[in-house]
Amino acid sequence: MDARSPREPTGRDTTPGPGAPLRGHTPGGARPAAPGPGSGSGSGSAEQDPAAGDTTTGAPATEDTAARAGRPGRDAAPAGASEPVPEPAPDPAPDPVRDRWREPMRLALSEAVRAPRTGDVPVGAVVLGPDGAVLGRGRNEREAVGDPTAHAEVLALREAARARGEWRLTGCTLVVTLEPCTMCAGAAVLARVDRIVIGAADAKAGAAGSLWDVVRDRRLNHRPEVIHGVLAEECAAPLTRFFRSGRRPGPRT
């Protein structure tokens, strides 16, 4: 059997009957509506714009439909408006162990920042009595007075002993901006202070847990409580500035 071309007539009558509209025309001569952008082939309907609302019911556009269309809603910020200011960071969680020692440590810091005036390393200390009153203050003065034992802790302990009229400082607290060296740690043990509160750690010479742990040696007859890390960054800052500035311990010229 011969294959027929798709264009070859098949013998079926395709002539429209009387009164039937011609293909591509509508009754009355009106042209059919052109398909809208994005309309499917043969669907005969245009895609609805979400931002225009429901065209079939006449419902207005909502913020949700506007957002889906990529257009700002009623409450959207105008173009060019600044971004909202972020909420401030929450305060750090309360620290019942260290919070009570912040103010005494700031007193010790006020002593520390005065030490570089005489070429001394900025370390400060205070001794508090059992009631929290300041009994002694001190800052490094080795260069100022030429005394190898004139560390901040030793000077503060001496002043506190004079204030109490005895060498035993039972019930007292030594607050110091830098972890004590072996000499100062030993002096605190001999003074029988109840606790030592420390700001910055001293990895090179600290004797309260960093390099040695003189104050908690079980072979000794007195072991004070040790609290590390009170305002550690603030206590380390003067030391960092002192050494980065190129200054070295010694009298100022």
Side-chain angles (χ1 to χ4, degrees):
M1 185 171 104
D2 295 337
R4 299 187 180 186
S5 169
R7 296 178 180 271
E8 187 176 350
T10 60
R12 187 178 56 187
D13 188 3
T14 57
T15 303
L22 296 176
R23 180 174 297 181
H25 291 76
T26 56
R31 295 183 178 178
S39 61
S41 64
S43 61
S45 60
E47 184 177 342
Q48 182 176 323
D49 183 0
D54 190 344
T55 56
T56 60
T57 62
T62 64
E63 295 171 6
D64 184 58
T65 57
R68 290 200 303 270
R71 303 179 185 179
R74 183 176 60 251
D75 296 332
S82 60
E83 296 182 1
V85 178
E87 294 292 332
D91 294 333
D95 187 340
V97 174
R98 295 174 178 81
D99 285 350
R100 60 178 294 200
W101 305 111
R102 291 177 180 271
E103 289 308 316
M105 186 61 75
R106 289 192 174 96
L107 295 177
L109 267 171
S110 68
E111 293 290 327
V113 296
R114 297 169 61 188
R117 299 175 186 176
T118 57
D120 283 284
V121 177
V123 179
V126 295
V127 175
L128 307 177
D131 60 352
V134 177
L135 299 179
R137 300 171 183 260
R139 62 182 179 276
N140 276 358
E141 293 185 11
R142 288 190 306 174
E143 307 297 339
V145 300
D147 181 354
T149 68
H151 286 201
E153 301 96 314
V154 171
L155 298 180
L157 290 169
R158 289 174 180 171
E159 188 173 300
R162 287 194 296 269
R164 294 192 72 172
E166 61 173 332
W167 63 268
R168 292 182 179 86
L169 299 180
T170 305
C172 295
T173 300
L174 172 63
V175 181
V176 59
T177 59
L178 181 66
E179 184 178 354
C181 65
T182 51
M183 177 183 70
C184 296
V189 171
L190 293 174
R192 305 293 193 269
V193 297
D194 277 15
R195 70 187 55 82
I196 303 174
V197 179
I198 300 168
D202 186 352
K204 294 183 178 181
S210 292
L211 190 58
W212 298 284
D213 201 350
V214 173
V215 296
R216 290 174 291 194
D217 192 321
R218 292 183 177 276
R219 294 168 294 182
L220 300 178
N221 62 351
H222 179 71
R223 294 186 295 274
E225 176 189 8
V226 178
I227 299 174
H228 275 276
V230 177
L231 300 181
E233 293 183 2
E234 294 180 37
C235 292
L239 293 162
T240 302
R241 288 195 300 267
F242 181 83
F243 290 107
R244 284 186 178 175
S245 66
R247 297 171 64 179
R248 292 295 181 267
R252 295 183 64 182
T253 58

